Amino acid sequence: MHIHILGICGTFMGGLALIARAAGHTVTGCDTGVYPPMSTQLEEQGIELIEGYGVEQLALKPDLFVVGNVVSRGNPLMEAILDQGLPYTSGPQWLGESILRSQHVLAVAGTHGKTSTSSMLAWILEYNQRQPNFLIGGVAPDLGVSARFNAEHSLFVIEADEYDTAFFDKRSKFVHYRPRTAILNNLEFDHADIFADLTAIETQFHHLVRTIPANGLVIRPHHADALDRVLERGCWTPVQTLEDSSGWHATQNAPGQLSVYYQSTHQGDIHWGLSGEHNRLNALAAIAAAQHVGVTPAQSCAALSAFKGIKRRMELRGTRAGIHVYDDFAHHPTAIALTLEGLAKHLPQNERILAVLEPRSNTMKMGAMAARLPEALRQAHHTFCYSEPSGKHALTWDAQRTFAPLAEAITIKDDLTELTQAIVQFAQPNDHIVVMSNGSFGGIHEHILRGLAQRFNVEHA
């Protein structure tokens, strides 16, 4: 079958393209601003990429058009597909019907930690020679790619996103996945561009729960009111609660070491370079899910001790003059707070955290949770915020007023060059600069590193 993918360079659709190619399909695709690294990864697999959504692409005569959620009515190619009555479907629906139906799907859902937890789970299975298939929203160095498929292997780990499926299907993507093992990491309000409130998201999570079979497993954290409400609406599957009186626990005995317990019995220790409460809970969820498919906790602990993390999750991008520059995907107040708190716990008191924030996501630019940002940033000695002056990521709220509680500990700029210069001049040796955005942030990490090298006349650490 020849499928043509609209919106192919997004993380999900690009991964889907790789999976379709591995399944034996002919794959082509289009997007605006065809860009690496996804474009490079696709081209290396022999997938033809076309810039834009021109109507002339109909001449490819694919058997099916697979439509990403970046495509909306008014898109010239989509309008031509509709006018001519050509076959089309959404990416999540195609994946669910063509690939996942024959797999034991292990889905990781939640507002935060989906990529980290699904990467941990896929790595546990890989390390223990279970050869999992997977589709993850980030690249773990251990796995090398964000998506992989071999029809001879039956386990499929997927990052289960609650964002909408397509312009013609406003259900969350994850309702198409039909998992047998489901991790519900957490649930908070997000995606203000498509959900009116938290209740609307809870409804989508309940739709997911309704698809999990009775011989499956739901894994959830303790003390999560929104998930309580989701499950109270109906659940037909065993539920395993992390850190309740009889379940999974993990204690941090020393920096970089976790001891894992199940039903108060010691199961193993994890020695790794990750930090923070969120990673502790992510690890517990991954271990519990792996046990559901036959991997022992001791085997999981050994795997996680060799886990190198994933890109854009407190990824150290470089050090200049003893100043460390990190890249982190955090773009929600809770994720921002967890990221900074996790770092702060492992730093001497004389080492400062400088937070660099781009409120870029649709939820953040709309201001739905802007009032929570000052508190989320409380672990930072100083915060630098980029307020885009115009364009699709421009803020709809007053950054100066919102960040007023931070008093002298905030610098706001609407020019990236000026922001970079301010950071470079403020930084001093032993500082930790944490850059947080769900986008590329104009490559600010490299600009900061170059600026620090020039200021302190150094090239490396």
Side-chain angles (χ1 to χ4, degrees), residues 27-192:
V27 181
T28 55
C30 61
D31 211 327
T32 54
V34 173
Y35 46 87
M38 184 57 74
S39 61
T40 304
Q41 191 175 184
L42 294 172
E43 288 168 347
E44 287 174 348
Q45 295 296 317
I47 296 173
E48 179 187 354
L49 305 180
I50 300 172
E51 172 69 35
Y53 295 95
V55 175
E56 67 277 3
Q57 294 174 49
L58 294 183
L60 294 171
K61 296 184 178 179
D63 299 290
L64 181 68
F65 292 93
V66 179
V67 183
N69 64 7
V70 298
V71 175
S72 58
R73 287 303 302 266
N75 177 291
L77 180 55
M78 192 68 232
E79 292 299 318
I81 292 168
L82 292 171
D83 287 344
Q84 297 190 29
L86 300 175
Y88 68 92
T89 188
S90 71
Q93 184 169 348
W94 181 87
L95 183 68
E97 294 177 350
S98 302
I99 302 295
L100 299 183
R101 183 173 292 177
S102 61
Q103 299 279 296
H104 179 127
V105 177
L106 300 98
V108 181
T111 310
H112 320 292
K114 292 186 293 292
T115 301
S116 296
T117 307
S118 52
S119 296
M120 289 179 190
L121 177 55
W123 171 243
I124 288 171
L125 300 177
E126 177 77 1
Y127 183 91
N128 288 287
Q129 301 180 337
R130 301 298 298 274
Q131 299 175 299
N133 300 312
F134 53 83
L135 176 52
I136 299 168
V139 178
D142 314 273
L143 300 170
V145 292
S146 61
R148 186 175 75 190
F149 179 69
N150 183 330
E152 295 182 0
H153 303 147
S154 61
L155 298 179
F156 199 112
V157 177
I158 189 164
E159 180 174 331
D161 187 4
E162 71 271 25
Y163 209 80
D164 63 355
T165 296
F167 75 87
F168 50 86
D169 183 353
K170 290 305 178 183
R171 294 173 295 171
S172 291
K173 292 177 184 176
F174 57 38
V175 300
H176 294 283
Y177 301 159
R178 309 293 173 89
R180 188 165 296 276
T181 308
I183 296 173
L184 309 183
N185 253 355
N186 40 63
L187 182 51
E188 293 188 65
F189 182 62
D190 199 1
H191 307 306

Side-chain angles (χ1 to χ4, degrees), residues 6 46 116 173 183 192 207 227 371-372 376 395 401 418:
L6 281 66
S116 296
K173 292 177 184 176
I183 296 173
H207 292 336
L227 291 177
R372 292 176 54 190
L395 302 183
R401 179 178 300 175
E418 292 182 5

Side-chain angles (χ1 to χ4, degrees), residues 384 411-424:
F384 298 84
T411 297
I412 301 169
K413 298 286 186 182
D414 62 6
D415 181 272
L416 272 178
T417 300
E418 292 182 5
L419 185 71
T420 302
Q421 291 171 346
I423 296 165
V424 168

Side-chain angles (χ1 to χ4, degrees), residues 92-406:
Q93 184 169 348
W94 181 87
L95 183 68
E97 294 177 350
S98 302
I99 302 295
L100 299 183
R101 183 173 292 177
S102 61
Q103 299 279 296
H104 179 127
V105 177
L106 300 98
V108 181
T111 310
H112 320 292
K114 292 186 293 292
T115 301
S116 296
T117 307
S118 52
S119 296
M120 289 179 190
L121 177 55
W123 171 243
I124 288 171
L125 300 177
E126 177 77 1
Y127 183 91
N128 288 287
Q129 301 180 337
R130 301 298 298 274
Q131 299 175 299
N133 300 312
F134 53 83
L135 176 52
I136 299 168
V139 178
D142 314 273
L143 300 170
V145 292
S146 61
R148 186 175 75 190
F149 179 69
N150 183 330
E152 295 182 0
H153 303 147
S154 61
L155 298 179
F156 199 112
V157 177
I158 189 164
E159 180 174 331
D161 187 4
E162 71 271 25
Y163 209 80
D164 63 355
T165 296
F167 75 87
F168 50 86
D169 183 353
K170 290 305 178 183
R171 294 173 295 171
S172 291
K173 292 177 184 176
F174 57 38
V175 300
H176 294 283
Y177 301 159
R178 309 293 173 89
R180 188 165 296 276
T181 308
I183 296 173
L184 309 183
N185 253 355
N186 40 63
L187 182 51
E188 293 188 65
F189 182 62
D190 199 1
H191 307 306
D193 52 324
I194 60 171
F195 293 117
D197 49 34
L198 180 57
T199 300
I201 308 177
E202 290 174 6
T203 296
Q204 295 297 321
F205 270 72
H206 181 58
H207 292 336
L208 172 65
V209 168
R210 293 178 72 92
T211 68
I212 305 169
N215 63 353
L217 180 67
V218 174
I219 299 164
R220 56 151 301 174
H222 198 40
H223 300 309
D225 292 345
L227 291 177
D228 289 344
R229 292 191 293 270
V230 167
L231 297 174
E232 286 167 1
R233 295 170 74 168
C235 181
W236 298 263
T237 309
V239 177
Q240 194 166 78
T241 302
L242 304 178
E243 304 205 299
D244 68 358
S245 58
S246 61
W248 292 93
H249 295 267
T251 59
Q252 184 157 339
N253 299 325
Q257 179 182 324
L258 296 178
S259 292
V260 176
Y261 299 85
Y262 181 61
Q263 295 180 343
S264 301
T265 301
H266 181 252
Q267 302 291 322
D269 296 317
I270 301 170
H271 301 269
W272 61 358
L274 304 184
S275 62
E277 177 74 0
H278 55 305
N279 280 317
R280 186 180 70 84
L281 293 174
N282 293 343
L284 272 182
I287 291 169
Q291 187 188 49
H292 191 229
V293 292
V295 179
T296 69
Q299 290 172 322
S300 291
C301 288
L304 290 176
S305 293
F307 184 66
K308 297 182 179 68
I310 60 173
K311 291 184 178 296
R312 302 214 64 202
R313 271 59 178 186
M314 282 304 291
E315 178 187 2
L316 180 63
R317 294 290 293 269
T319 302
R320 301 292 185 271
I323 302 169
H324 308 278
V325 178
Y326 304 88
D327 183 20
D328 196 85
F329 195 69
H331 57 278
H332 181 287
T334 299
I336 290 168
L338 288 172
T339 294
L340 299 180
E341 288 168 4
L343 177 59
K345 285 181 180 178
H346 298 283
L347 295 182
Q349 289 188 345
N350 63 333
E351 296 189 10
R352 307 184 305 177
I353 295 175
L354 309 184
V356 182
L357 177 66
E358 181 186 31
R360 180 183 179 277
S361 71
N362 287 326
T363 300
M364 292 308 300
K365 75 179 184 182
M366 293 170 65
M369 291 174 288
R372 292 176 54 190
L373 286 173
E375 176 62 20
L377 292 158
R378 63 185 174 84
Q379 291 287 354
H381 178 84
H382 197 92
T383 296
F384 298 84
C385 179
Y386 176 55
S387 177
E388 185 171 308
S390 61
K392 66 178 182 178
H393 300 304
L395 302 183
T396 61
W397 43 278
D398 187 334
Q400 295 287 351
R401 179 178 300 175
T402 297
F403 287 112
L406 296 180

